[in-house]
Amino acid sequence: MPSFRDLERAAYCPRQQYYHERRDAEPTVPERVTARRAIAFEYERLLADRVARREAPLAVDPAVWRERMDRARERCDRFADLVDPPATEVYIEGSDAGGIVHKLLTDPPEPVLVSAGTPPETGVYDPQSVRATAAAQALADREGPVEHATVEYPAVGRIRRIAIGARRRGRYREVCRTVAAMEDPPPRIDSTSKCEACEFQETCGTPTRSVRSLLGL
Ligand code: SF4
């Protein structure tokens, strides 16, 4: 059964998931990522303490972070639950996929994922939408309908709550089918920016940035 993270990876690039599935060991999570994710569990302290904000591994100016969090508090219906979640780091298994949700809200049930990155101008990127939908579907298998999921980007003070509608569910099912049918390496994607961030560039045969500059590409 694929994990929520596998589906996110396959939504980013199916070929990347193909290589990941065949690697010997799970990669270690970089310290910077762990530190940034930890911010999502420290909101109360950071909002109350200017010095703590200055010392936290924020990716934006602490004043900007504070301003964004104040705005999130006003706009997000579930802000109080995100600050003090009923459960954290919960494994959920559904009929198609399983994985960890970083926070689990109740009444109504809602999965929350925490990202060390930065969101787009609005909403969330497609791979994160697929991961959040996978978590919502797995939770729905256990608890009944799940209408929303939240993705937090704590290092930049952004919180994105998304509705789990037919379009997201359709895309999620499409990625599930792709992963289930994967026997040979899927075709390379045509995205220089995505490939530049990919750890499998050499295995994949995609020219790295240095090779491309040597070739004048
Ligand atoms: S280098 Fe590009 S095409 Fe190859 S696996 Fe990575 S993202 Fe996919």
Side-chain angles (χ1 to χ4, degrees):
M1 172 181 287
S3 69
F4 304 154
R5 175 74 183 105
D6 289 337
L7 296 174
E8 178 183 35
R9 200 180 289 108
Y12 181 87
C13 170
R15 193 171 169 106
Q16 189 186 79
Q17 172 56 19
Y18 176 88
Y19 291 132
H20 172 80
E21 238 176 61
R22 284 152 184 80
R23 78 195 321 169
D24 292 335
E26 277 288 323
T28 50
V29 179
E31 262 177 46
R32 186 184 65 97
V33 170
T34 306
R36 283 187 168 192
R37 283 191 189 143
I39 298 167
F41 301 89
E42 296 268 5
Y43 287 149
E44 205 158 18
R45 186 174 69 85
L46 294 176
L47 285 167
D49 184 342
R50 191 144 47 102
V51 176
R53 282 201 295 281
R54 267 210 312 270
E55 289 170 354
L58 303 179
V60 291
D61 185 89
V64 171
W65 186 87
R66 174 75 213 234
E67 197 183 300
R68 288 178 179 176
M69 293 304 289
D70 285 344
R71 219 174 309 143
R73 188 202 306 268
E74 282 163 22
R75 291 182 181 173
C76 179
D77 292 342
R78 306 213 68 179
F79 188 81
D81 292 332
L82 296 175
V83 172
D84 185 18
T88 60
E89 306 294 333
V90 181
Y91 180 79
I92 303 175
E93 191 168 304
S95 51
D96 302 319
I100 299 279
V101 295
H102 300 123
K103 299 178 187 177
L104 181 58
L105 311 189
T106 50
D107 302 320
E110 181 170 327
V112 180
L113 299 171
V114 177
S115 166
T118 304
E121 275 301 307
T122 58
V124 302
Y125 289 113
D126 174 64
Q128 287 173 341
S129 167
V130 169
R131 183 174 178 172
T133 306
Q137 290 293 104
L139 188 57
D141 287 343
R142 206 172 78 174
E143 308 266 342
V146 173
E147 310 289 346
H148 292 88
T150 292
V151 186
E152 292 181 54
Y153 303 84
V156 293
R158 296 287 197 206
I159 294 173
R160 297 282 160 83
R161 190 163 186 239
I162 56 173
I164 306 296
R167 187 182 57 79
R168 288 190 202 280
R169 277 196 282 267
R171 172 69 178 135
Y172 155 73
R173 280 194 285 269
E174 179 189 31
V175 176
C176 285
R177 284 195 298 273
T178 301
V179 169
M182 226 184 302
E183 281 175 10
D184 300 318
R188 293 184 189 92
I189 55 167
D190 186 16
S191 167
T192 307
S193 61
K194 280 187 173 182
C195 294
E196 272 176 8
C198 177
E199 62 184 305
F200 296 112
Q201 273 183 93
E202 282 187 26
T203 318
C204 180
T206 303
T208 59
R209 190 198 288 260
S210 53
V211 169
R212 276 205 320 279
S213 74
L214 274 175
L215 296 172
L217 298 175

